Amino acid sequence: MNDNEKEEAANLKEEFEWVLREEVHAILHQLHTVLVECAHRFPVPLYGNEGQKQDKFILTSQPEQLKCIVTLTGDSITHADISFKVLRQMHSICRTSINQDGPWKLQQIQDAANHLQQAIGYIDNVDKHYVFRCSEEVLHIIQCLIGSLQRARTALVLPKKKAIDELMKSRNMVIKALAPNLPEDLAISFYIQSHKLIFVAYQLSSVHGTMRIDSCQADCAVPWLSDVLFMLTAALHMCQQLKDKLCVFSQYKDFTVGSRSASMVLN
């Protein structure tokens, strides 16, 4: 190695040590700020946020096959007035409602909140005075963060849709959620997809011995979901940028400031 190469290597190692000593903690602090702000947008108790925020939405489809006026409290629909046309009967309208005695729980919201809480916990477990010794320590934390944030985002963006028979047997359908109950050939569903609350009405019929499922749906934008998804995406981008930078340094196997294992950083 000539003198120029030695000087370049020394400069790189000095930068690497600065990144471990200063920049990693600065980025973790920024991430913590973003994620706590994200937590405070959730309508459920989360990291100092009292939750139980209440919003009212109107969902309609065109032409007016379906109308639903919904009150969303926390992670549950605590009231809804629902009406939709029954296809097999041209002038028949089915009406039902949800009230606070049997709220319709949107599990996706709580699932996303749980994953976000886990991500914040990873940062909380890192002492602000801790001296990182190698890139592997930081990469371990970043990978844990990315995993939790991706799961939080996926819980909201990609709902786990149920088969029609599973839907009709679900807790929300069978435990006093609807008043009056729907006929056996009708079913409804509420779920979150991206920044929207979606309502679907299903109608089952038999055509020449073959089961047919018709559906109509309506949706509405939920403002706090847009904020949450924006902040989750921003946090993931910050994590990826730090990961990419550390991966460059990790190519130099002798770039360490000690030999502690990553398990010492996280509880």
Side-chain angles (χ1 to χ4, degrees), residues 227-262:
D227 295 340
V228 163
L229 288 169
F230 175 81
M231 284 183 271
L232 288 175
T233 301
L236 280 165
H237 182 65
M238 292 169 67
C239 287
Q240 190 62 50
Q241 283 187 315
L242 180 57
K243 180 181 176 181
D244 291 343
K245 175 175 286 191
L246 289 167
C247 283
V248 172
F249 287 116
S250 66
Q251 297 174 36
Y252 302 89
K253 300 302 181 184
D254 58 337
F255 276 20
T256 60
V257 193
S259 57
R260 297 189 193 184
S261 66

Side-chain angles (χ1 to χ4, degrees), residues 90-104:
M90 291 298 293
H91 301 291
S92 177
I93 296 178
C94 180
R95 289 186 172 85
T96 188
S97 64
I98 296 171
N99 59 59
Q100 60 184 8
D101 294 329
W104 187 294

Side-chain angles (χ1 to χ4, degrees), residues 149-197:
L149 295 175
Q150 285 179 334
R151 288 190 292 274
R153 191 175 184 280
T154 298
L156 300 174
V157 174
L158 298 176
K160 297 177 181 177
K161 297 181 182 179
K162 297 179 179 179
I164 189 67
D165 56 340
E166 184 183 1
L167 178 64
M168 297 181 79
K169 296 174 183 176
S170 70
R171 180 187 183 282
N172 283 327
M173 285 289 292
V174 301
I175 302 182
K176 66 176 184 180
L178 301 177
N181 289 331
L182 294 176
E184 292 185 355
D185 58 349
L186 299 178
I188 63 171
S189 178
F190 290 94
Y191 58 87
I192 299 294
Q193 187 163 26
S194 189
H195 65 287
K196 292 182 177 182
L197 171 65

